[in-house]
Amino acid sequence: MIGSHTMLCCLIGDPVAHSLSPRMMNAAFRELGVDCAYLAFRVTKGDLAAAVAGLRALGVLGCNVTIPHKTCIASHLDRLDESAVPSGSVNVISNSCGELVGHNTDGMGAMRALEDGGARLKGARVLILGYGGSARGVAFEIARRRSVAEILVSGRSLPDASRLARDLSSLSLASALPLNMCGEAKADIVINCTPVGMDGSGASMLRQEDLRSDCTVLDLVYSPPETELLRLARAAGCRAICGLEVLVQQGARALEIWLGRSAPIGAMRRAVFGEAQPQAEADQ
């Protein structure tokens, strides 16, 4: 029961109405017996500075950050953890005795989802769709491991894709690719880091003919769990991985940062996959 000693964690972003994080995180707190509540707050770009000041003033234990704030929020924090320094992208904030520290768990979450899903990263050509905060977190984590052959970045803006590719070049062979040429990439792994397909829009960054039958496709979008991109991937014979597993893995790491203890991943999975289509859970 919520009382005067209940701690608070939250999600900030725009939009947040679709988010399963409150269901997942509150299930984790119940499983651990931790007196903490988790809420989602819609915060516009113009209110971001005030929202961060509110986190500090209210003594919020921790915060998740989603689109469109992952890169611009860094300037409002006291410092960045080493997990967020290379990409400059923050999806987790911890409050350490009043010091707000930015972390990135997106990359780790995506890597674990790929590995658990059977993807082979060593020597792979990886196509990243997008160049925003999620894309940066995932791309830098992949590059940091120095096991893939090449990282290709694509999206609707070639200059923005090129900028991310240049930033990655000190860690990995990386280049930008026009969106209409993705079918020529011959990618082994495709990761959608854009919001395209969210809330069942039926949109996809790629066409079915852009996908090789032996590639792995991971969509960070999880609402709906069966996005148009994943539908096309299955139709092409690809291995398709739903973004719900990324949500669970990055959320588990966030809890470990905030609480200093292991996260109850089983309870977190049950909380989110309970709302997903059966096929999405089977693909994990």
Side-chain angles (χ1 to χ4, degrees):
M1 181 179 294
I2 293 176
S4 58
H5 296 288
T6 301
M7 297 177 290
L8 175 64
C9 289
C10 65
L11 168 71
I12 60 173
D14 186 16
V16 294
H18 68 285
S19 179
L20 294 180
S21 290
R23 174 180 288 271
M24 178 180 70
M25 293 301 206
N26 284 315
F29 291 140
R30 286 193 299 270
E31 183 76 10
L32 293 173
V34 174
D35 187 10
C36 190
Y38 188 102
L39 297 173
F41 298 112
R42 177 177 176 265
V43 174
T44 65
K45 289 183 178 181
D47 289 332
L48 182 59
V52 174
L55 298 177
R56 192 190 307 274
L58 294 173
V60 172
L61 176 64
C63 177
N64 287 119
V65 183
T66 189
I67 55 173
H69 305 316
K70 291 187 178 184
T71 54
C72 53
I73 201 167
S75 62
H76 300 289
L77 305 177
D78 296 311
R79 64 179 176 90
L80 297 184
D81 174 76
E82 62 180 11
S83 62
V85 169
S87 65
S89 175
V90 171
N91 74 311
V92 175
I93 300 171
S94 63
N95 187 348
S96 178
C97 300
E99 182 186 37
L100 298 184
V101 182
H103 308 255
N104 188 287
T105 66
D106 279 333
M108 179 276 298
M111 292 295 286
R112 288 187 179 176
L114 287 168
E115 291 164 354
D116 291 349
R120 179 179 174 84
L121 281 94
K122 187 174 182 179
R125 288 167 60 86
V126 180
L127 173 60
I128 302 286
L129 299 174
Y131 32 73
S134 295
R136 292 186 68 84
V138 171
F140 270 92
E141 179 63 21
I142 291 173
R144 183 186 67 80
R145 300 194 180 199
R146 300 180 185 272
S147 63
V148 302
E150 185 177 8
I151 298 174
L152 302 167
V153 184
S154 188
R156 290 172 174 167
S157 167
L158 187 58
D160 287 336
S162 299
R163 188 174 302 112
L164 175 53
R166 286 196 301 272
D167 291 346
L168 293 167
S169 62
S170 64
L171 296 173
S172 174
L173 178 62
S175 59
L177 190 69
L179 192 58
N180 62 2
M181 294 182 62
C182 285
E184 301 177 21
K186 294 181 169 45
D188 301 297
I189 297 172
V190 176
I191 308 174
N192 178 40
C193 300
T194 78
V196 174
M198 186 180 288
D199 293 332
S201 68
S204 171
M205 293 290 283
L206 299 181
R207 303 163 301 171
Q208 183 175 329
E209 53 265 37
D210 293 328
L211 301 168
R212 291 170 45 189
S213 62
D214 59 348
C215 81
T216 297
V217 178
L218 169 62
D219 197 339
L220 267 60
V221 172
Y222 63 80
S223 178
E226 176 75 353
T227 63
E228 178 66 7
L229 176 60
L230 292 185
R231 188 190 71 78
L232 294 175
R234 291 193 182 92
C238 306
R239 177 187 289 110
I241 304 176
C242 170
L244 284 170
E245 186 61 25
V246 180
L247 174 71
V248 171
Q249 294 290 351
Q250 65 85 16
R253 179 59 189 138
L255 277 177
E256 292 165 358
I257 291 169
W258 298 334
L259 302 177
R261 56 192 293 191
S262 297
I265 290 183
M268 297 169 75
R269 279 203 183 99
R270 289 191 295 273
V272 298
F273 282 110
E275 289 199 352
Q277 296 175 12
Q279 180 63 46
E281 184 171 10
D283 286 336
Q284 309 310 310

